[in-house]
């Protein structure tokens, strides 16, 4: 009987240790310092894979996110228990009535991250929504401070020395795209660039510095209409502003020329995509707008790789 209890206890501990790892994990090295890679830094796994993490935000309960760690971090050079060169970080925000796991699958960012060598964090919204200002749902109605949550997540990963604070990017779909706008509006000092897919700027916005933005929008989107309209939220009958409002806002804030210059061949762009850009301004900011002719309210194929190509050309320095 004693032997059976020991076996059960051992099995329970093994299973408990696996609950946070949703990827292949890889083999961890010594937890020492020097040039050896620790298995965790500030509680964050360093093995290759995708891991479910919790973050204390100072309120009742906690917030959760998935973190995808690419081989470049695991196999790279380490000094004194931290990467010699921290990696770029992309925060990928799901749409309304979705979650972090679904967006991980939908966006396909993991493959791009493994290929190009950057961290991806997929945070979970509050009751499947984000408080993007005038939208959406439970997060807005409950006045959830998602800006503070995402800021603390950025600080957690950069403070651990895993992510480069000068190369943090926020992207999202629909309600998550609106949240990306809000982060750029309220925390421009933390964000080098944003990627917006089928979203609207529905928050007051007065950043003290320009932020680079890549914006995708389909002309046949009925949920967030290309030319404005629709319904902003369940308890707000006002329509969404047109996508041109956001394009012009970020262009003017960066003191950039009109969006006229063809962005060139965009690898992986869905059929009917027309991308134009301002080019980089004197402060390094840039706005690229990709109109998807006939595109509906969906994440476009190839968007994740295109977004990374855009992000990789901008830093916050």
């Amino acid at each position: 009987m004693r032997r059976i209890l020991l076996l059960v206890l051992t099995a329970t501990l093994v299973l408990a240790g696996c609950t946070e790892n949703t990827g292949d994990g890889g083999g961890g090295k010594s937890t020492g310092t020097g040039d050896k890679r620790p298995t965790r830094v500030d509680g964050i796994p360093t093995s290759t894979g995708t891991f479910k993490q919790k973050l204390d935000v100072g309120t009742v309960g906690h917030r959760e996110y998935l973190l995808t760690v690419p081989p470049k971090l695991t196999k790279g050079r380490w000094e004194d228990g931290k990467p010699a060169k921290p990696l770029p970080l992309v925060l990928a925000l799901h749409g309304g009535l979705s979650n972090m796991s679904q967006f991980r699958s939908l966006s396909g960012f993991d493959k791009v991250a493994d290929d190009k060598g950057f961290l991806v964090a997929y945070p979970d919204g509050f009751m499947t929504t984000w408080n993007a200002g005038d939208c959406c749902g439970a997060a807005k109605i409950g006045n959830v401070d998602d800006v503070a949550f995402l800021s603390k997540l950025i600080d957690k990963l950069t403070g651990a020395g895993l992510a480069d604070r000068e190369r943090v990017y926020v992207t999202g779909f629909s309600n998550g795209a609106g949240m990306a706008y809000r982060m750029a509006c309220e925390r421009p000092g933390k964000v080098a660039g944003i990627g917006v897919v089928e979203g609207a700027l529905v928050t007051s916005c007065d950043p003290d510095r320009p932020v680079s933005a890549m914006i995708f929008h389909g002309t046949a989107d009925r949920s967030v209409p290309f030319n404005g309209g629709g319904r902003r939220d369940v308890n707000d009958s006002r329509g969404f502003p047109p996508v041109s409002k956001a394009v012009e806002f970020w262009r003017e804030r960066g003191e950039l020329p009109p969006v006229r210059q063809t962005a060139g061949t965009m690898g992986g762009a869905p059929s009917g995509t027309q991308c134009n850009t301002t080019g980089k301004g004197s402060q390094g900011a840039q706005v690229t707008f990709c109109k998807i002719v006939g595109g509906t309210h969906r994440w476009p194929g190839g968007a994740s790789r295109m977004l990374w190509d855009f992000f990789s050309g901008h830093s916050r320095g």
Side-chain angles (χ1 to χ4, degrees):
M1 177 64 71
R2 192 174 190 182
R3 184 179 179 186
I4 293 173
L5 287 174
L6 286 172
L7 289 171
V8 171
L9 178 60
T10 301
T12 301
L13 291 172
V14 169
L15 289 173
C18 293
T19 55
E20 288 191 350
N21 184 357
T22 63
D24 58 24
K29 293 186 179 180
S30 166
T31 57
T33 56
D35 61 354
K36 294 182 178 180
R37 173 179 63 84
T39 56
R40 289 175 179 266
V41 176
D42 196 15
I44 304 167
T46 63
S47 298
T48 299
T50 301
F51 304 86
K52 185 177 180 180
Q53 298 288 98
K54 296 178 180 179
L55 185 67
D56 179 7
V57 291
T59 60
V60 177
H62 59 267
R63 300 294 293 268
E64 294 184 341
Y65 65 98
L66 298 175
L67 179 67
T68 293
V69 178
K72 185 172 182 178
L73 184 82
T74 305
K75 299 177 181 179
R77 187 163 60 90
W78 289 70
E79 296 177 349
D80 297 325
K82 293 186 178 182
K85 292 184 178 179
L87 300 187
L89 168 66
V90 173
L91 267 60
L93 311 182
H94 63 75
L97 304 182
S98 185
N99 60 46
M100 58 188 182
S101 297
Q102 291 172 345
F103 193 55
R104 178 188 172 216
S105 176
L106 173 70
S107 67
F109 264 116
D110 282 9
K111 178 170 175 38
V112 185
D114 285 349
D115 290 346
K116 301 297 183 179
F118 59 92
L119 296 161
V120 187
Y122 303 93
D124 229 5
F126 176 77
M127 295 180 65
T128 72
T129 59
W130 299 102
N131 182 2
D134 288 339
C135 183
C136 293
K140 184 198 76 172
I141 294 170
N143 195 30
V144 174
D145 195 346
D146 281 322
V147 170
F149 165 43
L150 297 179
S151 297
K152 190 164 187 177
L153 175 53
I154 292 170
D155 291 344
K156 173 79 172 178
L157 297 172
T158 56
L162 303 180
D164 182 351
R165 65 183 69 251
E166 304 299 327
R167 295 184 293 166
V168 176
Y169 312 96
V170 184
T171 185
F173 171 67
S174 191
N175 180 203
M179 191 65 222
Y181 275 139
R182 187 167 190 180
M183 281 297 292
C185 291
E186 298 187 22
R187 296 292 189 274
K190 291 185 179 293
V191 179
I194 58 173
V196 174
V197 180
E198 307 300 330
L201 179 59
V202 289
T203 187
S204 57
C205 196
D206 188 23
D208 58 8
R209 61 186 296 165
V211 175
S212 294
M214 186 174 198
I215 300 169
F216 290 82
H217 215 105
T219 59
D221 187 337
R222 292 187 176 183
S223 298
V224 185
F226 185 88
N227 293 315
R231 187 182 180 94
R232 194 167 293 194
D233 207 351
V234 291
N235 62 348
D236 189 343
S237 62
R238 291 177 298 166
F240 289 102
V243 64
S244 59
K245 175 185 175 182
V247 174
E248 286 304 294
F249 176 85
W250 294 108
R251 183 189 70 79
E252 292 174 0
R253 186 51 54 108
E255 300 179 349
L256 301 168
V259 181
R260 292 177 181 170
Q261 177 184 342
T262 301
T265 302
M266 305 294 285
S271 177
T273 303
Q274 302 172 357
C275 293
N276 294 287
T277 184
T278 59
K280 285 189 178 182
S282 59
Q283 301 179 69
Q286 179 179 1
V287 174
T288 295
F289 175 45
C290 293
K291 178 172 71 173
I292 308 172
V293 178
T296 56
H297 195 73
R298 59 184 298 178
W299 185 267
S304 297
R305 192 166 294 275
M306 293 167 67
L307 284 164
W308 173 249
D309 288 345
F310 178 81
F311 290 156
S312 64
H314 300 85
S315 64
R316 191 175 59 88

